């Protein structure tokens, strides 16, 4: 069973990915609006917001990967400790 930290890391990662996707979409809309209107400052702000969103998405993926790795390692350590002492026989 996963610990609370592992579960919240995975959930937090998903929230970061969703928030990042929303930021990227808003940034793209601002960039396009800036292009259409000729507002260079809005276009640049949109590009920055897209970069922020991509960074949040990457952080979310990293958190999910870490939570998954912890869960995987926890499972391996349990199975390893259960098998200890069974491989050798006393002579």
């Amino acid at each position: 069973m996963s610990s609370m930290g592992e579960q919240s890391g995975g959930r937090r990662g998903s929230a970061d990915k969703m928030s990042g996707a929303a930021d990227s979409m808003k940034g793209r809309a601002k960039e396009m609006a800036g292009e259409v209107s000729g507002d260079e400052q809005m276009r640049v702000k949109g590009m920055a917001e897209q970069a922020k969103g991509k960074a949040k998405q990457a952080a979310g993926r990293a958190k999910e990967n870490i939570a998954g790795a912890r869960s995987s390692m926890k499972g391996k350590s349990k199975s390893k400790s259960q098998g200890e002492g069974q491989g050798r026989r006393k002579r």
Side-chain angles (χ1 to χ4, degrees), residues 17-72:
K17 284 178 18 181
M18 290 173 36
S19 174
D23 286 344
S24 290
M25 286 189 286
K26 286 189 293 186
R28 182 72 180 136
K30 282 183 185 179
E31 180 185 5
M32 295 303 292
E35 267 184 45
V36 170
S37 68
D39 185 343
E40 185 65 17
Q41 188 174 6
M42 181 182 285
R43 189 180 76 77
V44 171
K45 282 183 181 181
M47 291 171 68
E49 197 161 349
Q50 285 181 73
K52 175 183 163 187
K54 288 179 182 181
K56 274 187 186 179
Q57 288 176 318
R61 283 191 300 272
K63 287 177 185 178
E64 287 179 341
N65 289 340
I66 290 168
R70 282 183 179 161
S71 177
S72 173

Side-chain angles (χ1 to χ4, degrees), residues 1-8 67-68 70-72 74 78:
M1 185 168 190
S2 297
S3 72
M4 288 297 285
E6 291 169 15
Q7 290 175 358
S8 65
R70 282 183 179 161
S71 177
S72 173
K74 194 170 200 170
K78 280 184 181 177

